[in-house]
Amino acid sequence: MFHRIRGFPIPLEGPPSCWHSPLLSSIIVRMDEKDQVTYAADILSIKDAQRRIGPYIHQTPVLTSGSLDSLAGKQLFFKCECFQKGGAFKIRGASNAIFSLEDDQVAKGVVTHSSGNHAAAVALAAKLRGIPAYIVIPKNAPKCKVDNVKRYGGQIIWSETTIHSRETTASKVQQETGAVLVHPFNDKRIISGQGTISLELLEQIPEIDLIIVPISGGGLISGVTLAAKAINPSIRILAAEPRGADDAAQSKAAGKIVKLPHTNTIADGLRAFLGDLTWPVVRDLVDDIIIVDDREIVEAMRLCYEILKVAVEPSGAIGLAAVLSDQFLNNAAWKSCKKVGIILSGGNVDLSVLWESFST
């Protein structure tokens, strides 16, 4: 579990001699209850999630590229959640949430709302558990992601494109069916499941000193941050966010959750807003947020495809876009960071235009 001592995150796991904090090496600070901040997940819940979901997920590989290292001036390590079951990291949180429920709780199934990757993950995890999945999907969701939900047997209910419509439609389905809601990000079980990425990545490449993570509702970055900083309190965590949906950056600047009246970005998976469980982690422990334009995201997708030979969706490529951005490259705060982990969060990109071009 993380607490803060004078603003510094301390992992309360093991005796004080195991707390590798430069702050604690020189002073002893008494923690009063008013100084403690408890987050929705911790290293113990994340390790529990790792044990629970092990049979249902892939341990994804880490790729490297000398060419991309040269562009960034850093050693880059790409955690390929695009190779995960369902094509994205979301199966980690979804399977942890669904398999942590008792049989009587899920007898009537589960319900969620999502623009795609979480929807498919819940449908797949429910299929693995043998229960119904009711999936509320906005009408503008990418076809490839809708097809995944159908492939895994999810029962699709359409909503309008707004977050409000998604949430109210899901609430109505929940009332009608008695299904359990599996929230896309604002759920401690989801956060814990996503945090298993850090456990894997830092076992594969222990010397990583900075991780760049896509940010939307905050479930992924919360889990990754809590696990990574429990393992190595000095590690830096940066969020990558599209300019057309920069609510997280605005929230950090304002010191409170900011919700935008509308979003406009090619990164369809990054249009949600922070929740009350994810915001405290972003507020306290995420070191900074890098904002990139859609054109930078598209360029990063191209580089992933041409150099890494990996198809990555816009939301998944944003970490590479961030590390190549002027905002990152010209910031002296990151000069000392030499080994950078980048989460390629998903690979469910709609390639229909590409395939159609071959038939003309």
Side-chain angles (χ1 to χ4, degrees):
M1 180 178 297
F2 268 104
H3 291 269
R4 284 194 302 164
I5 300 179
R6 295 185 182 176
F8 195 92
I10 304 299
L12 298 188
E13 183 186 16
S17 61
C18 295
W19 298 351
H20 304 295
S21 165
L23 178 64
L24 291 183
S25 66
S26 58
I27 61 174
I28 298 174
V29 179
R30 183 177 65 86
M31 288 194 306
D32 296 320
E33 286 298 318
K34 66 180 180 180
D35 295 325
Q36 298 181 5
V37 177
T38 301
Y39 301 110
D42 57 29
I43 191 65
L44 297 180
S45 69
I46 293 167
K47 288 182 176 179
D48 283 343
Q50 186 179 46
R51 288 188 287 270
R52 181 177 294 114
I53 70 179
Y56 310 109
I57 69 165
H58 295 314
Q59 179 170 321
T60 53
V62 175
L63 298 182
T64 60
S65 164
S67 296
L68 294 177
D69 289 353
S70 296
L71 289 176
K74 312 279 186 185
Q75 281 188 274
L76 306 181
F77 299 90
F78 297 91
K79 181 62 170 166
C80 292
E81 289 297 292
C82 48
F83 296 156
Q84 188 55 264
K85 288 186 178 180
F89 74 95
K90 291 284 192 176
I91 189 62
R92 294 176 182 268
S95 57
N96 188 49
I98 288 174
F99 282 94
S100 67
L101 295 168
E102 299 295 334
D103 289 342
D104 59 341
Q105 291 178 286
V106 294
K108 296 182 179 179
V110 290
V111 59
T112 195
H113 58 86
S114 167
S115 64
N117 284 336
H118 177 73
V122 169
L124 176 55
K127 179 180 180 180
L128 292 171
R129 180 135 192 201
I131 59 174
Y134 304 97
I135 313 296
V136 175
I137 300 180
K139 293 178 180 178
N140 64 341
K143 181 179 182 298
C144 63
K145 297 183 179 182
V146 175
D147 290 343
N148 278 345
V149 175
K150 294 177 180 177
R151 187 175 297 116
Y152 301 134
Q155 300 182 43
I156 294 176
I157 302 94
W158 297 102
S159 75
E160 298 302 321
T161 59
T162 64
I163 296 293
H164 176 73
S165 177
R166 286 167 42 168
E167 290 176 342
T168 55
T169 304
S171 179
K172 181 180 179 181
V173 172
Q174 186 180 16
Q175 292 173 6
E176 292 174 348
T177 63
V180 176
L181 177 67
V182 180
H183 196 277
F185 54 86
N186 204 47
D187 183 309
K188 62 183 180 181
R189 301 161 303 182
I190 295 291
I191 294 169
S192 296
Q194 319 306 25
T196 61
I197 293 175
S198 281
L199 300 185
E200 286 184 15
L201 177 59
L202 294 178
E203 182 177 328
Q204 292 164 313
I205 315 290
E207 61 271 25
I208 282 175
D209 50 25
L210 184 148
I211 304 176
I212 301 182
V213 190
I215 191 168
S216 182
L220 173 60
I221 199 166
S222 294
V224 166
T225 300
L226 290 169
K229 294 210 173 191
I231 296 168
N232 176 10
S234 66
I235 200 167
R236 314 298 289 275
I237 306 292
L238 297 183
E241 187 170 47
R243 191 171 303 280
D246 65 344
D247 59 287
Q250 292 191 37
S251 297
K252 284 277 271 187
K256 62 181 181 180
I257 296 176
V258 172
K259 296 186 177 182
L260 306 178
H262 59 83
T263 59
N264 181 22
T265 176
I266 190 175
D268 63 279
L270 303 181
R271 294 172 181 162
F273 305 135
L274 296 167
D276 62 340
L277 299 183
T278 59
W279 161 239
V281 182
V282 174
R283 177 193 65 203
D284 299 343
L285 302 179
V286 172
D287 293 285
D288 202 353
I289 299 177
I290 306 296
I291 301 172
V292 298
D293 295 323
D294 277 6
R295 59 178 177 78
E296 295 174 285
I297 295 173
V298 172
E299 174 63 11
M301 292 174 67
R302 183 183 70 81
L303 292 172
C304 285
Y305 189 82
E306 292 184 353
I307 297 177
L308 289 180
K309 310 305 180 187
V310 174
V312 181
E313 63 188 89
S315 303
I318 195 171
L320 176 58
V323 82
L324 297 178
S325 69
D326 290 341
Q327 185 183 350
F328 178 84
L329 294 174
N330 297 332
N331 191 331
W334 319 123
K335 293 292 185 183
S336 63
C337 297
K338 303 299 184 184
K339 299 179 184 294
V340 180
I342 296 177
I343 312 264
L344 300 182
S345 58
N348 292 314
V349 58
D350 192 344
L351 296 174
S352 59
V353 174
L354 173 64
W355 307 136
E356 290 167 4
S357 70
F358 290 135
S359 62
T360 57

